[in-house]
PDB file of all heavy atoms in Angstrom:
ATOM      1  N   ASP W   1     -57.209  81.684 102.826  1.00 97.00           N
ATOM      2  CA  ASP W   1     -57.728  81.382 104.158  1.00 97.00           C
ATOM      3  C   ASP W   1     -59.253  81.291 104.119  1.00 97.00           C
ATOM      4  O   ASP W   1     -59.925  82.126 103.525  1.00 97.00           O
ATOM      5  CB  ASP W   1     -57.293  82.466 105.144  1.00 97.00           C
ATOM      6  CG  ASP W   1     -57.541  82.062 106.591  1.00 97.00           C
ATOM      7  OD1 ASP W   1     -57.700  80.858 106.853  1.00 97.00           O
ATOM      8  OD2 ASP W   1     -57.583  82.955 107.458  1.00 97.00           O
ATOM      9  N   GLY W   2     -59.756  80.250 104.723  1.00 97.00           N
ATOM     10  CA  GLY W   2     -61.199  80.005 104.714  1.00 97.00           C
ATOM     11  C   GLY W   2     -61.610  78.958 103.705  1.00 97.00           C
ATOM     12  O   GLY W   2     -62.605  78.263 103.899  1.00 97.00           O
ATOM     13  N   VAL W   3     -60.829  78.822 102.625  1.00 98.00           N
ATOM     14  CA  VAL W   3     -61.141  77.808 101.615  1.00 98.00           C
ATOM     15  C   VAL W   3     -60.058  76.724 101.547  1.00 98.00           C
ATOM     16  O   VAL W   3     -60.293  75.644 101.017  1.00 98.00           O
ATOM     17  CB  VAL W   3     -61.348  78.413 100.207  1.00 98.00           C
ATOM     18  CG1 VAL W   3     -62.505  79.395 100.226  1.00 98.00           C
ATOM     19  CG2 VAL W   3     -60.084  79.071  99.687  1.00 98.00           C
ATOM     20  N   ALA W   4     -58.868  77.020 102.105  1.00 98.00           N
ATOM     21  CA  ALA W   4     -57.791  76.033 102.055  1.00 98.00           C
ATOM     22  C   ALA W   4     -56.815  76.225 103.210  1.00 98.00           C
ATOM     23  O   ALA W   4     -56.556  77.354 103.642  1.00 98.00           O
ATOM     24  CB  ALA W   4     -57.035  76.118 100.734  1.00 98.00           C
ATOM     25  N   THR W   5     -56.287  75.129 103.687  1.00 98.00           N
ATOM     26  CA  THR W   5     -55.132  75.133 104.572  1.00 98.00           C
ATOM     27  C   THR W   5     -53.898  75.074 103.679  1.00 98.00           C
ATOM     28  O   THR W   5     -53.781  74.168 102.850  1.00 98.00           O
ATOM     29  CB  THR W   5     -55.150  73.919 105.515  1.00 98.00           C
ATOM     30  OG1 THR W   5     -56.355  73.939 106.280  1.00 98.00           O
ATOM     31  CG2 THR W   5     -53.941  73.923 106.433  1.00 98.00           C
ATOM     32  N   SER W   6     -53.012  76.037 103.800  1.00 98.00           N
ATOM     33  CA  SER W   6     -51.882  76.145 102.878  1.00 98.00           C
ATOM     34  C   SER W   6     -50.589  75.648 103.517  1.00 98.00           C
ATOM     35  O   SER W   6     -50.277  75.983 104.660  1.00 98.00           O
ATOM     36  CB  SER W   6     -51.701  77.593 102.429  1.00 98.00           C
ATOM     37  OG  SER W   6     -52.805  78.016 101.636  1.00 98.00           O
ATOM     38  N   LEU W   7     -49.849  74.860 102.755  1.00 98.00           N
ATOM     39  CA  LEU W   7     -48.538  74.374 103.166  1.00 98.00           C
ATOM     40  C   LEU W   7     -47.492  75.040 102.281  1.00 98.00           C
ATOM     41  O   LEU W   7     -47.505  74.872 101.059  1.00 98.00           O
ATOM     42  CB  LEU W   7     -48.453  72.851 103.012  1.00 98.00           C
ATOM     43  CG  LEU W   7     -49.544  72.019 103.688  1.00 98.00           C
ATOM     44  CD1 LEU W   7     -49.319  70.534 103.408  1.00 98.00           C
ATOM     45  CD2 LEU W   7     -49.580  72.292 105.183  1.00 98.00           C
ATOM     46  N   LEU W   8     -46.601  75.809 102.885  1.00 98.00           N
ATOM     47  CA  LEU W   8     -45.524  76.488 102.170  1.00 98.00           C
ATOM     48  C   LEU W   8     -44.244  75.694 102.392  1.00 98.00           C
ATOM     49  O   LEU W   8     -43.754  75.601 103.522  1.00 98.00           O
ATOM     50  CB  LEU W   8     -45.351  77.919 102.678  1.00 98.00           C
ATOM     51  CG  LEU W   8     -46.325  78.987 102.164  1.00 98.00           C
ATOM     52  CD1 LEU W   8     -47.769  78.644 102.494  1.00 98.00           C
ATOM     53  CD2 LEU W   8     -45.989  80.341 102.757  1.00 98.00           C
ATOM     54  N   ILE W   9     -43.721  75.099 101.327  1.00 98.00           N
ATOM     55  CA  ILE W   9     -42.607  74.162 101.455  1.00 98.00           C
ATOM     56  C   ILE W   9     -41.302  74.812 100.990  1.00 98.00           C
ATOM     57  O   ILE W   9     -41.236  75.385  99.902  1.00 98.00           O
ATOM     58  CB  ILE W   9     -42.888  72.891 100.638  1.00 98.00           C
ATOM     59  CG1 ILE W   9     -44.134  72.179 101.191  1.00 98.00           C
ATOM     60  CG2 ILE W   9     -41.686  71.955 100.650  1.00 98.00           C
ATOM     61  CD1 ILE W   9     -44.476  70.882 100.503  1.00 98.00           C
ATOM     62  N   ASP W  10     -40.284  74.708 101.837  1.00 98.00           N
ATOM     63  CA  ASP W  10     -38.936  75.088 101.409  1.00 98.00           C
ATOM     64  C   ASP W  10     -38.382  73.958 100.551  1.00 98.00           C
ATOM     65  O   ASP W  10     -38.293  72.806 101.004  1.00 98.00           O
ATOM     66  CB  ASP W  10     -38.010  75.285 102.614  1.00 98.00           C
ATOM     67  CG  ASP W  10     -38.298  76.565 103.391  1.00 98.00           C
ATOM     68  OD1 ASP W  10     -39.169  77.344 102.967  1.00 98.00           O
ATOM     69  OD2 ASP W  10     -37.644  76.768 104.430  1.00 98.00           O
ATOM     70  N   ALA W  11     -37.996  74.263  99.326  1.00 98.00           N
ATOM     71  CA  ALA W  11     -37.432  73.249  98.435  1.00 98.00           C
ATOM     72  C   ALA W  11     -36.098  72.744  98.982  1.00 98.00           C
ATOM     73  O   ALA W  11     -35.422  73.445  99.748  1.00 98.00           O
ATOM     74  CB  ALA W  11     -37.224  73.836  97.043  1.00 98.00           C
ATOM     75  N   PRO W  12     -35.680  71.547  98.595  1.00 97.00           N
ATOM     76  CA  PRO W  12     -34.328  71.112  98.939  1.00 97.00           C
ATOM     77  C   PRO W  12     -33.310  72.174  98.505  1.00 97.00           C
ATOM     78  O   PRO W  12     -33.464  72.807  97.468  1.00 97.00           O
ATOM     79  CB  PRO W  12     -34.161  69.824  98.125  1.00 97.00           C
ATOM     80  CG  PRO W  12     -35.556  69.297  97.965  1.00 97.00           C
ATOM     81  CD  PRO W  12     -36.411  70.523  97.821  1.00 97.00           C
ATOM     82  N   ASN W  13     -32.284  72.369  99.341  1.00 96.00           N
ATOM     83  CA  ASN W  13     -31.218  73.346  99.078  1.00 96.00           C
ATOM     84  C   ASN W  13     -31.666  74.793  99.227  1.00 96.00           C
ATOM     85  O   ASN W  13     -30.958  75.700  98.795  1.00 96.00           O
ATOM     86  CB  ASN W  13     -30.605  73.123  97.685  1.00 96.00           C
ATOM     87  CG  ASN W  13     -30.061  71.723  97.524  1.00 96.00           C
ATOM     88  OD1 ASN W  13     -29.147  71.316  98.233  1.00 96.00           O
ATOM     89  ND2 ASN W  13     -30.660  70.961  96.608  1.00 96.00           N
ATOM     90  N   HIS W  14     -32.805  75.008  99.841  1.00 97.00           N
ATOM     91  CA  HIS W  14     -33.339  76.345 100.071  1.00 97.00           C
ATOM     92  C   HIS W  14     -33.919  76.437 101.486  1.00 97.00           C
ATOM     93  O   HIS W  14     -34.390  75.437 102.036  1.00 97.00           O
ATOM     94  CB  HIS W  14     -34.456  76.675  99.072  1.00 97.00           C
ATOM     95  CG  HIS W  14     -34.003  76.818  97.657  1.00 97.00           C
ATOM     96  ND1 HIS W  14     -33.683  75.738  96.870  1.00 97.00           N
ATOM     97  CD2 HIS W  14     -33.823  77.921  96.869  1.00 97.00           C
ATOM     98  CE1 HIS W  14     -33.333  76.164  95.664  1.00 97.00           C
ATOM     99  NE2 HIS W  14     -33.410  77.480  95.640  1.00 97.00           N
ATOM    100  N   GLY W  15     -33.921  77.647 102.040  1.00 95.00           N
ATOM    101  CA  GLY W  15     -34.560  77.864 103.324  1.00 95.00           C
ATOM    102  C   GLY W  15     -34.009  76.947 104.400  1.00 95.00           C
ATOM    103  O   GLY W  15     -32.802  76.797 104.578  1.00 95.00           O
ATOM    104  N   LEU W  16     -34.940  76.289 105.114  1.00 94.00           N
ATOM    105  CA  LEU W  16     -34.565  75.399 106.211  1.00 94.00           C
ATOM    106  C   LEU W  16     -34.663  73.927 105.837  1.00 94.00           C
ATOM    107  O   LEU W  16     -34.600  73.069 106.710  1.00 94.00           O
ATOM    108  CB  LEU W  16     -35.446  75.691 107.435  1.00 94.00           C
ATOM    109  CG  LEU W  16     -35.172  77.038 108.111  1.00 94.00           C
ATOM    110  CD1 LEU W  16     -36.208  77.319 109.192  1.00 94.00           C
ATOM    111  CD2 LEU W  16     -33.772  77.082 108.702  1.00 94.00           C
ATOM    112  N   SER W  17     -34.821  73.637 104.552  1.00 95.00           N
ATOM    113  CA  SER W  17     -34.848  72.235 104.119  1.00 95.00           C
ATOM    114  C   SER W  17     -33.422  71.723 103.909  1.00 95.00           C
ATOM    115  O   SER W  17     -32.490  72.505 103.719  1.00 95.00           O
ATOM    116  CB  SER W  17     -35.654  72.092 102.823  1.00 95.00           C
ATOM    117  OG  SER W  17     -37.040  72.159 103.101  1.00 95.00           O
ATOM    118  N   PRO W  18     -33.246  70.403 103.937  1.00 94.00           N
ATOM    119  CA  PRO W  18     -31.897  69.828 103.809  1.00 94.00           C
ATOM    120  C   PRO W  18     -31.251  70.120 102.463  1.00 94.00           C
ATOM    121  O   PRO W  18     -31.929  70.360 101.471  1.00 94.00           O
ATOM    122  CB  PRO W  18     -32.148  68.315 103.979  1.00 94.00           C
ATOM    123  CG  PRO W  18     -33.458  68.208 104.666  1.00 94.00           C
ATOM    124  CD  PRO W  18     -34.269  69.373 104.211  1.00 94.00           C
ATOM    125  N   TRP W  19     -29.942  70.070 102.464  1.00 94.00           N
ATOM    126  CA  TRP W  19     -29.166  70.194 101.235  1.00 94.00           C
ATOM    127  C   TRP W  19     -28.933  68.818 100.633  1.00 94.00           C
ATOM    128  O   TRP W  19     -28.918  67.804 101.332  1.00 94.00           O
ATOM    129  CB  TRP W  19     -27.826  70.866 101.527  1.00 94.00           C
ATOM    130  CG  TRP W  19     -27.953  72.332 101.846  1.00 94.00           C
ATOM    131  CD1 TRP W  19     -29.100  73.032 102.078  1.00 94.00           C
ATOM    132  CD2 TRP W  19     -26.873  73.257 101.991  1.00 94.00           C
ATOM    133  NE1 TRP W  19     -28.822  74.346 102.336  1.00 94.00           N
ATOM    134  CE2 TRP W  19     -27.454  74.522 102.295  1.00 94.00           C
ATOM    135  CE3 TRP W  19     -25.497  73.152 101.894  1.00 94.00           C
ATOM    136  CZ2 TRP W  19     -26.687  75.664 102.507  1.00 94.00           C
ATOM    137  CZ3 TRP W  19     -24.725  74.288 102.098  1.00 94.00           C
ATOM    138  CH2 TRP W  19     -25.313  75.532 102.405  1.00 94.00           C
ATOM    139  N   THR W  20     -28.757  68.779  99.329  1.00 94.00           N
ATOM    140  CA  THR W  20     -28.520  67.527  98.616  1.00 94.00           C
ATOM    141  C   THR W  20     -27.223  67.622  97.824  1.00 94.00           C
ATOM    142  O   THR W  20     -26.655  68.705  97.668  1.00 94.00           O
ATOM    143  CB  THR W  20     -29.681  67.208  97.657  1.00 94.00           C
ATOM    144  OG1 THR W  20     -29.739  68.234  96.646  1.00 94.00           O
ATOM    145  CG2 THR W  20     -31.007  67.155  98.392  1.00 94.00           C
ATOM    146  N   GLY W  21     -26.780  66.487  97.290  1.00 93.00           N
ATOM    147  CA  GLY W  21     -25.544  66.469  96.526  1.00 93.00           C
ATOM    148  C   GLY W  21     -25.733  66.787  95.058  1.00 93.00           C
ATOM    149  O   GLY W  21     -24.778  67.143  94.364  1.00 93.00           O
ATOM    150  N   GLU W  22     -26.979  66.664  94.572  1.00 94.00           N
ATOM    151  CA  GLU W  22     -27.276  66.894  93.159  1.00 94.00           C
ATOM    152  C   GLU W  22     -28.593  67.639  93.027  1.00 94.00           C
ATOM    153  O   GLU W  22     -29.402  67.672  93.945  1.00 94.00           O
ATOM    154  CB  GLU W  22     -27.351  65.562  92.394  1.00 94.00           C
ATOM    155  CG  GLU W  22     -26.076  64.726  92.439  1.00 94.00           C
ATOM    156  CD  GLU W  22     -24.907  65.373  91.721  1.00 94.00           C
ATOM    157  OE1 GLU W  22     -25.149  66.202  90.808  1.00 94.00           O
ATOM    158  OE2 GLU W  22     -23.747  65.071  92.067  1.00 94.00           O
ATOM    159  N   PHE W  23     -28.812  68.214  91.836  1.00 96.00           N
ATOM    160  CA  PHE W  23     -30.086  68.870  91.537  1.00 96.00           C
ATOM    161  C   PHE W  23     -30.830  68.037  90.516  1.00 96.00           C
ATOM    162  O   PHE W  23     -30.287  67.693  89.462  1.00 96.00           O
ATOM    163  CB  PHE W  23     -29.856  70.278  90.977  1.00 96.00           C
ATOM    164  CG  PHE W  23     -31.129  71.011  90.658  1.00 96.00           C
ATOM    165  CD1 PHE W  23     -31.711  71.859  91.582  1.00 96.00           C
ATOM    166  CD2 PHE W  23     -31.761  70.836  89.427  1.00 96.00           C
ATOM    167  CE1 PHE W  23     -32.896  72.525  91.285  1.00 96.00           C
ATOM    168  CE2 PHE W  23     -32.942  71.493  89.121  1.00 96.00           C
ATOM    169  CZ  PHE W  23     -33.501  72.336  90.058  1.00 96.00           C
ATOM    170  N   ASP W  24     -32.092  67.707  90.816  1.00 96.00           N
ATOM    171  CA  ASP W  24     -32.892  66.885  89.913  1.00 96.00           C
ATOM    172  C   ASP W  24     -34.362  67.197  90.161  1.00 96.00           C
ATOM    173  O   ASP W  24     -34.861  67.035  91.276  1.00 96.00           O
ATOM    174  CB  ASP W  24     -32.615  65.402  90.171  1.00 96.00           C
ATOM    175  CG  ASP W  24     -33.385  64.493  89.235  1.00 96.00           C
ATOM    176  OD1 ASP W  24     -34.559  64.184  89.532  1.00 96.00           O
ATOM    177  OD2 ASP W  24     -32.815  64.097  88.200  1.00 96.00           O
ATOM    178  N   TYR W  25     -35.067  67.650  89.118  1.00 98.00           N
ATOM    179  CA  TYR W  25     -36.467  68.030  89.292  1.00 98.00           C
ATOM    180  C   TYR W  25     -37.332  66.866  89.762  1.00 98.00           C
ATOM    181  O   TYR W  25     -38.193  67.025  90.638  1.00 98.00           O
ATOM    182  CB  TYR W  25     -37.034  68.593  87.989  1.00 98.00           C
ATOM    183  CG  TYR W  25     -36.719  70.044  87.749  1.00 98.00           C
ATOM    184  CD1 TYR W  25     -36.005  70.457  86.626  1.00 98.00           C
ATOM    185  CD2 TYR W  25     -37.150  71.034  88.640  1.00 98.00           C
ATOM    186  CE1 TYR W  25     -35.720  71.792  86.391  1.00 98.00           C
ATOM    187  CE2 TYR W  25     -36.867  72.368  88.416  1.00 98.00           C
ATOM    188  CZ  TYR W  25     -36.155  72.748  87.298  1.00 98.00           C
ATOM    189  OH  TYR W  25     -35.876  74.070  87.091  1.00 98.00           O
ATOM    190  N   ARG W  26     -37.132  65.701  89.199  1.00 97.00           N
ATOM    191  CA  ARG W  26     -37.983  64.577  89.582  1.00 97.00           C
ATOM    192  C   ARG W  26     -37.695  64.130  91.017  1.00 97.00           C
ATOM    193  O   ARG W  26     -38.617  63.755  91.751  1.00 97.00           O
ATOM    194  CB  ARG W  26     -37.822  63.430  88.589  1.00 97.00           C
ATOM    195  CG  ARG W  26     -38.323  63.810  87.200  1.00 97.00           C
ATOM    196  CD  ARG W  26     -38.226  62.697  86.194  1.00 97.00           C
ATOM    197  NE  ARG W  26     -39.294  61.715  86.363  1.00 97.00           N
ATOM    198  CZ  ARG W  26     -39.594  60.788  85.453  1.00 97.00           C
ATOM    199  NH1 ARG W  26     -38.893  60.733  84.318  1.00 97.00           N
ATOM    200  NH2 ARG W  26     -40.561  59.938  85.659  1.00 97.00           N
ATOM    201  N   ALA W  27     -36.434  64.203  91.427  1.00 97.00           N
ATOM    202  CA  ALA W  27     -36.094  63.878  92.811  1.00 97.00           C
ATOM    203  C   ALA W  27     -36.710  64.902  93.768  1.00 97.00           C
ATOM    204  O   ALA W  27     -37.182  64.543  94.856  1.00 97.00           O
ATOM    205  CB  ALA W  27     -34.579  63.829  92.983  1.00 97.00           C
ATOM    206  N   MET W  28     -36.727  66.171  93.363  1.00 97.00           N
ATOM    207  CA  MET W  28     -37.375  67.191  94.184  1.00 97.00           C
ATOM    208  C   MET W  28     -38.869  66.918  94.286  1.00 97.00           C
ATOM    209  O   MET W  28     -39.467  67.034  95.361  1.00 97.00           O
ATOM    210  CB  MET W  28     -37.129  68.576  93.593  1.00 97.00           C
ATOM    211  CG  MET W  28     -35.697  69.049  93.751  1.00 97.00           C
ATOM    212  SD  MET W  28     -35.327  70.514  92.756  1.00 97.00           S
ATOM    213  CE  MET W  28     -36.372  71.740  93.536  1.00 97.00           C
ATOM    214  N   GLY W  29     -39.483  66.529  93.147  1.00 98.00           N
ATOM    215  CA  GLY W  29     -40.894  66.176  93.170  1.00 98.00           C
ATOM    216  C   GLY W  29     -41.156  64.994  94.081  1.00 98.00           C
ATOM    217  O   GLY W  29     -42.144  64.970  94.831  1.00 98.00           O
ATOM    218  N   ASP W  30     -40.261  64.022  94.059  1.00 97.00           N
ATOM    219  CA  ASP W  30     -40.400  62.851  94.938  1.00 97.00           C
ATOM    220  C   ASP W  30     -40.313  63.250  96.408  1.00 97.00           C
ATOM    221  O   ASP W  30     -41.042  62.718  97.252  1.00 97.00           O
ATOM    222  CB  ASP W  30     -39.315  61.820  94.629  1.00 97.00           C
ATOM    223  CG  ASP W  30     -39.490  61.145  93.275  1.00 97.00           C
ATOM    224  OD1 ASP W  30     -40.597  61.234  92.700  1.00 97.00           O
ATOM    225  OD2 ASP W  30     -38.518  60.529  92.795  1.00 97.00           O
ATOM    226  N   ALA W  31     -39.407  64.177  96.719  1.00 97.00           N
ATOM    227  CA  ALA W  31     -39.249  64.619  98.108  1.00 97.00           C
ATOM    228  C   ALA W  31     -40.507  65.320  98.605  1.00 97.00           C
ATOM    229  O   ALA W  31     -40.967  65.092  99.735  1.00 97.00           O
ATOM    230  CB  ALA W  31     -38.040  65.543  98.232  1.00 97.00           C
ATOM    231  N   VAL W  32     -41.075  66.180  97.754  1.00 98.00           N
ATOM    232  CA  VAL W  32     -42.324  66.842  98.139  1.00 98.00           C
ATOM    233  C   VAL W  32     -43.453  65.825  98.243  1.00 98.00           C
ATOM    234  O   VAL W  32     -44.275  65.871  99.167  1.00 98.00           O
ATOM    235  CB  VAL W  32     -42.682  67.952  97.127  1.00 98.00           C
ATOM    236  CG1 VAL W  32     -44.036  68.574  97.478  1.00 98.00           C
ATOM    237  CG2 VAL W  32     -41.602  69.026  97.098  1.00 98.00           C
ATOM    238  N   ALA W  33     -43.498  64.875  97.314  1.00 98.00           N
ATOM    239  CA  ALA W  33     -44.533  63.840  97.348  1.00 98.00           C
ATOM    240  C   ALA W  33     -44.467  63.045  98.646  1.00 98.00           C
ATOM    241  O   ALA W  33     -45.511  62.726  99.251  1.00 98.00           O
ATOM    242  CB  ALA W  33     -44.383  62.913  96.151  1.00 98.00           C
ATOM    243  N   ALA W  34     -43.271  62.709  99.094  1.00 97.00           N
ATOM    244  CA  ALA W  34     -43.120  61.963 100.346  1.00 97.00           C
ATOM    245  C   ALA W  34     -43.661  62.768 101.525  1.00 97.00           C
ATOM    246  O   ALA W  34     -44.321  62.227 102.423  1.00 97.00           O
ATOM    247  CB  ALA W  34     -41.653  61.606 100.573  1.00 97.00           C
ATOM    248  N   GLU W  35     -43.400  64.075 101.507  1.00 96.00           N
ATOM    249  CA  GLU W  35     -43.927  64.954 102.558  1.00 96.00           C
ATOM    250  C   GLU W  35     -45.451  64.969 102.525  1.00 96.00           C
ATOM    251  O   GLU W  35     -46.118  64.888 103.561  1.00 96.00           O
ATOM    252  CB  GLU W  35     -43.374  66.363 102.355  1.00 96.00           C
ATOM    253  CG  GLU W  35     -43.755  67.357 103.424  1.00 96.00           C
ATOM    254  CD  GLU W  35     -43.032  67.129 104.745  1.00 96.00           C
ATOM    255  OE1 GLU W  35     -41.822  66.865 104.737  1.00 96.00           O
ATOM    256  OE2 GLU W  35     -43.712  67.216 105.788  1.00 96.00           O
ATOM    257  N   LEU W  36     -46.020  65.049 101.317  1.00 97.00           N
ATOM    258  CA  LEU W  36     -47.476  65.099 101.192  1.00 97.00           C
ATOM    259  C   LEU W  36     -48.121  63.766 101.576  1.00 97.00           C
ATOM    260  O   LEU W  36     -49.212  63.746 102.164  1.00 97.00           O
ATOM    261  CB  LEU W  36     -47.861  65.489  99.757  1.00 97.00           C
ATOM    262  CG  LEU W  36     -47.381  66.868  99.292  1.00 97.00           C
ATOM    263  CD1 LEU W  36     -47.876  67.150  97.883  1.00 97.00           C
ATOM    264  CD2 LEU W  36     -47.831  67.948 100.256  1.00 97.00           C
ATOM    265  N   GLU W  37     -47.465  62.670 101.242  1.00 97.00           N
ATOM    266  CA  GLU W  37     -47.995  61.359 101.633  1.00 97.00           C
ATOM    267  C   GLU W  37     -48.072  61.236 103.149  1.00 97.00           C
ATOM    268  O   GLU W  37     -49.037  60.700 103.698  1.00 97.00           O
ATOM    269  CB  GLU W  37     -47.141  60.253 101.037  1.00 97.00           C
ATOM    270  CG  GLU W  37     -47.355  60.061  99.530  1.00 97.00           C
ATOM    271  CD  GLU W  37     -46.396  59.057  98.926  1.00 97.00           C
ATOM    272  OE1 GLU W  37     -45.360  58.751  99.573  1.00 97.00           O
ATOM    273  OE2 GLU W  37     -46.670  58.587  97.804  1.00 97.00           O
ATOM    274  N   GLN W  38     -47.056  61.747 103.842  1.00 95.00           N
ATOM    275  CA  GLN W  38     -47.066  61.731 105.307  1.00 95.00           C
ATOM    276  C   GLN W  38     -48.242  62.524 105.856  1.00 95.00           C
ATOM    277  O   GLN W  38     -48.726  62.238 106.947  1.00 95.00           O
ATOM    278  CB  GLN W  38     -45.767  62.329 105.855  1.00 95.00           C
ATOM    279  CG  GLN W  38     -44.550  61.431 105.717  1.00 95.00           C
ATOM    280  CD  GLN W  38     -43.355  61.995 106.479  1.00 95.00           C
ATOM    281  OE1 GLN W  38     -43.504  62.875 107.337  1.00 95.00           O
ATOM    282  NE2 GLN W  38     -42.178  61.494 106.178  1.00 95.00           N
ATOM    283  N   ARG W  39     -48.686  63.504 105.094  1.00 95.00           N
ATOM    284  CA  ARG W  39     -49.763  64.379 105.546  1.00 95.00           C
ATOM    285  C   ARG W  39     -51.128  63.961 104.993  1.00 95.00           C
ATOM    286  O   ARG W  39     -52.083  64.727 105.053  1.00 95.00           O
ATOM    287  CB  ARG W  39     -49.441  65.828 105.160  1.00 95.00           C
ATOM    288  CG  ARG W  39     -48.209  66.368 105.885  1.00 95.00           C
ATOM    289  CD  ARG W  39     -47.701  67.665 105.287  1.00 95.00           C
ATOM    290  NE  ARG W  39     -46.520  68.153 105.985  1.00 95.00           N
ATOM    291  CZ  ARG W  39     -46.529  69.007 107.014  1.00 95.00           C
ATOM    292  NH1 ARG W  39     -47.682  69.500 107.449  1.00 95.00           N
ATOM    293  NH2 ARG W  39     -45.416  69.378 107.596  1.00 95.00           N
ATOM    294  N   GLY W  40     -51.200  62.780 104.391  1.00 94.00           N
ATOM    295  CA  GLY W  40     -52.486  62.222 103.998  1.00 94.00           C
ATOM    296  C   GLY W  40     -52.964  62.546 102.612  1.00 94.00           C
ATOM    297  O   GLY W  40     -54.152  62.366 102.296  1.00 94.00           O
ATOM    298  N   ALA W  41     -52.070  63.003 101.726  1.00 95.00           N
ATOM    299  CA  ALA W  41     -52.508  63.403 100.391  1.00 95.00           C
ATOM    300  C   ALA W  41     -52.988  62.233  99.546  1.00 95.00           C
ATOM    301  O   ALA W  41     -53.748  62.430  98.588  1.00 95.00           O
ATOM    302  CB  ALA W  41     -51.376  64.134  99.666  1.00 95.00           C
ATOM    303  N   ALA W  42     -52.566  61.011  99.879  1.00 93.00           N
ATOM    304  CA  ALA W  42     -53.030  59.850  99.112  1.00 93.00           C
ATOM    305  C   ALA W  42     -54.536  59.676  99.265  1.00 93.00           C
ATOM    306  O   ALA W  42     -55.225  59.238  98.331  1.00 93.00           O
ATOM    307  CB  ALA W  42     -52.295  58.592  99.557  1.00 93.00           C
ATOM    308  N   GLY W  43     -55.069  60.051 100.425  1.00 96.00           N
ATOM    309  CA  GLY W  43     -56.507  59.955 100.649  1.00 96.00           C
ATOM    310  C   GLY W  43     -57.241  61.239 100.354  1.00 96.00           C
ATOM    311  O   GLY W  43     -58.454  61.236 100.117  1.00 96.00           O
ATOM    312  N   LYS W  44     -56.534  62.341 100.380  1.00 97.00           N
ATOM    313  CA  LYS W  44     -57.134  63.654 100.121  1.00 97.00           C
ATOM    314  C   LYS W  44     -56.159  64.459  99.267  1.00 97.00           C
ATOM    315  O   LYS W  44     -55.300  65.179  99.779  1.00 97.00           O
ATOM    316  CB  LYS W  44     -57.414  64.391 101.434  1.00 97.00           C
ATOM    317  CG  LYS W  44     -58.121  65.725 101.239  1.00 97.00           C
ATOM    318  CD  LYS W  44     -58.238  66.467 102.560  1.00 97.00           C
ATOM    319  CE  LYS W  44     -58.857  67.851 102.363  1.00 97.00           C
ATOM    320  NZ  LYS W  44     -58.866  68.638 103.618  1.00 97.00           N
ATOM    321  N   PRO W  45     -56.263  64.337  97.936  1.00 98.00           N
ATOM    322  CA  PRO W  45     -55.318  65.019  97.040  1.00 98.00           C
ATOM    323  C   PRO W  45     -55.325  66.537  97.226  1.00 98.00           C
ATOM    324  O   PRO W  45     -56.314  67.126  97.679  1.00 98.00           O
ATOM    325  CB  PRO W  45     -55.805  64.627  95.644  1.00 98.00           C
ATOM    326  CG  PRO W  45     -56.556  63.357  95.852  1.00 98.00           C
ATOM    327  CD  PRO W  45     -57.212  63.495  97.195  1.00 98.00           C
ATOM    328  N   VAL W  46     -54.228  67.166  96.854  1.00 98.00           N
ATOM    329  CA  VAL W  46     -54.010  68.586  97.132  1.00 98.00           C
ATOM    330  C   VAL W  46     -54.156  69.437  95.878  1.00 98.00           C
ATOM    331  O   VAL W  46     -54.145  68.938  94.750  1.00 98.00           O
ATOM    332  CB  VAL W  46     -52.601  68.802  97.723  1.00 98.00           C
ATOM    333  CG1 VAL W  46     -52.383  67.918  98.941  1.00 98.00           C
ATOM    334  CG2 VAL W  46     -51.515  68.553  96.665  1.00 98.00           C
ATOM    335  N   VAL W  47     -54.263  70.742  96.105  1.00 98.00           N
ATOM    336  CA  VAL W  47     -54.112  71.730  95.038  1.00 98.00           C
ATOM    337  C   VAL W  47     -52.644  72.150  95.063  1.00 98.00           C
ATOM    338  O   VAL W  47     -52.167  72.709  96.051  1.00 98.00           O
ATOM    339  CB  VAL W  47     -55.019  72.952  95.257  1.00 98.00           C
ATOM    340  CG1 VAL W  47     -54.823  73.957  94.128  1.00 98.00           C
ATOM    341  CG2 VAL W  47     -56.479  72.528  95.352  1.00 98.00           C
TER     342      VAL W  47
END
């Protein structure tokens, strides 16, 4: 706090995020990437 705004993401099949039919690391990365793109990460990359 003070140096970063933090986003805590529930992974697919966990918490309140949707369930999927298969497990795949790259697909999970794509899902998180899509979320970050919606939040402007293409113009302001994240930690």
Side-chain angles (χ1 to χ4, degrees):
D1 192 19
V3 299
T5 302
S6 293
L7 307 179
L8 280 59
I9 297 182
D10 287 356
N13 303 298
H14 292 76
L16 290 173
S17 283
W19 289 10
T20 64
E22 301 294 335
F23 180 94
D24 182 275
Y25 278 120
R26 295 182 78 166
M28 289 168 66
D30 291 344
V32 176
E35 184 73 43
L36 298 182
E37 286 174 343
Q38 286 189 16
R39 295 167 181 268
K44 184 186 176 185
V46 306
V47 180

